Amino acid sequence: MGVDPIRYRPWKGERTALNLRVYVILKSIFRHGLKSIGVKILLILSFLFVYAFGFMDVILFGSETLDAEKMSSNFNAFNLTLFAMLLAAVITSDLISEDLSSRSFVLYFSRAIKTRDYLVGKAGGAILIMSLLCFLPPVLLAVVSILTQSGSDYWSSIKVLGSTMVAGALAAVFFVPYGLMLSSITNRRSYAAVGTFMSFMVLTIISEMFVEIDPAWSVIGPARSLSAAVDWIFGLPSDIDGGALFAFLALFIIVPAVVLYWRVQRKAVGR
């Protein structure tokens, strides 16, 4: 009986587009995050402590126009920053560390996917979840305020709505790169979560300690710097120097993103 040689048979199906693979990663992270009990609890508590009173005030009493200062105060609230730090620590802690511990990089990069696409999917999923806290509620609050306003100056209200959307997008992105960077440094989810949250808190404590000596120290506090950036977006005055503020924002967002890319790139090639 002869031996039938194994012959190569070309696959006749359709190859999936690269952007679809990125979408699959993003969608998987978003759905997985929404199934988390901790994420659900944080989102519910944040709505009750940060936004519930604002919605009740708008629905019951209304306003003449959408007020920039009042909308900015939603982002400046310490409660929002606290919940945002906790949520970022929870959702980013396992996005890279779990792949490191399970050695899933082989599965990801065995397909035609680049480091950039891998990170876009991971960060995109995290930012979508953060948007449920930082972007969607304030934008809905602004829309409800416009629909129920008693004044006729809708153009000013729409401009405040635009500022709200920009501020919400910044708040949603703000903590994600740093959290992902720490997640790429360790293969233990708990270490990444605690390290992310404690880093934010340490910067906040240092800022509060030294701000009495020199107000310029307030810029290193994530809560203060985010609040100052939101004030700038809404066109409100801030006690933090603009140059120092944007330098810190660049360091806090861009530097972790660069380190994250470098770490994942090295792991992708097996180093």
Side-chain angles (χ1 to χ4, degrees):
M1 182 177 181
V3 177
D4 186 18
I6 300 176
R7 296 183 177 88
Y8 172 74
R9 295 180 180 179
W11 184 57
K12 297 181 179 180
E14 294 184 3
R15 296 182 182 275
T16 57
L18 181 60
N19 56 355
L20 181 59
R21 299 171 196 174
V22 174
Y23 169 74
V24 170
I25 298 174
L26 186 152
K27 180 181 177 181
S28 174
I29 292 169
F30 183 70
R31 294 180 63 181
H32 176 72
L34 291 185
K35 291 179 181 179
S36 170
I37 302 285
V39 171
K40 291 178 181 178
I41 291 175
L42 285 174
L43 290 175
I44 293 173
L45 290 178
S46 65
F47 181 83
L48 293 176
F49 283 98
V50 180
Y51 300 111
F53 178 78
F55 275 97
M56 291 176 60
D57 180 61
V58 167
I59 294 173
L60 294 177
F61 304 105
S63 60
E64 185 175 354
T65 57
L66 184 59
D67 184 73
E69 187 172 354
K70 183 178 291 187
M71 289 305 303
S72 177
S73 66
N74 290 308
F75 296 97
N76 293 345
F78 177 77
N79 287 339
L80 174 62
T81 306
L82 178 62
F83 281 116
M85 291 190 295
L86 283 169
L87 184 60
V90 170
I91 63 177
T92 61
S93 60
D94 64 340
L95 295 186
I96 311 293
S97 61
E98 187 173 312
D99 292 341
L100 291 174
S101 62
S102 63
R103 304 186 186 278
S104 300
F105 278 100
V106 176
L107 298 177
Y108 278 109
F109 293 98
S110 62
R111 305 292 298 272
I113 188 171
K114 300 179 180 178
T115 301
R116 176 196 61 196
D117 305 313
Y118 170 83
L119 292 177
V120 167
K122 293 284 186 175
I127 291 171
L128 279 180
I129 298 174
M130 292 294 296
S131 297
L132 298 178
L133 167 63
C134 302
F135 181 84
L136 187 60
V139 170
L140 285 177
L141 179 59
V143 171
V144 172
S145 298
I146 294 175
L147 294 177
T148 58
Q149 74 176 42
S150 58
S152 59
D153 188 5
Y154 287 98
W155 176 242
S156 296
S157 297
I158 290 175
K159 288 193 293 184
V160 176
L161 172 60
S163 298
T164 303
M165 296 176 69
V166 175
L170 173 63
V173 173
F174 190 69
F175 296 102
V176 171
Y178 190 89
L180 286 176
M181 180 190 71
L182 289 189
S183 182
S184 70
I185 293 175
T186 177
N187 58 3
R188 298 287 297 273
R189 175 183 180 178
S190 57
Y191 291 170
V194 173
T196 300
F197 182 73
M198 290 306 299
S199 297
F200 297 149
M201 291 305 299
V202 166
L203 287 174
T204 301
I205 292 172
I206 293 175
S207 172
E208 296 298 328
M209 287 176 57
F210 288 95
V211 73
E212 299 296 334
I213 302 173
D214 187 350
W217 280 95
S218 61
V219 74
I220 70 170
R224 286 181 175 267
S225 59
L226 179 59
S227 296
V230 168
D231 285 338
W232 182 84
I233 291 172
F234 280 97
L236 301 174
S238 174
D239 56 355
I240 296 180
D241 178 73
L245 173 62
F246 287 104
F248 177 79
L249 292 177
L251 289 173
F252 195 75
I253 296 175
I254 297 176
V255 172
V258 172
V259 174
L260 170 65
Y261 184 90
W262 176 75
R263 287 281 303 173
V264 172
Q265 179 69 18
R266 286 176 60 86
K267 291 295 181 181
V269 297
R271 295 181 182 178

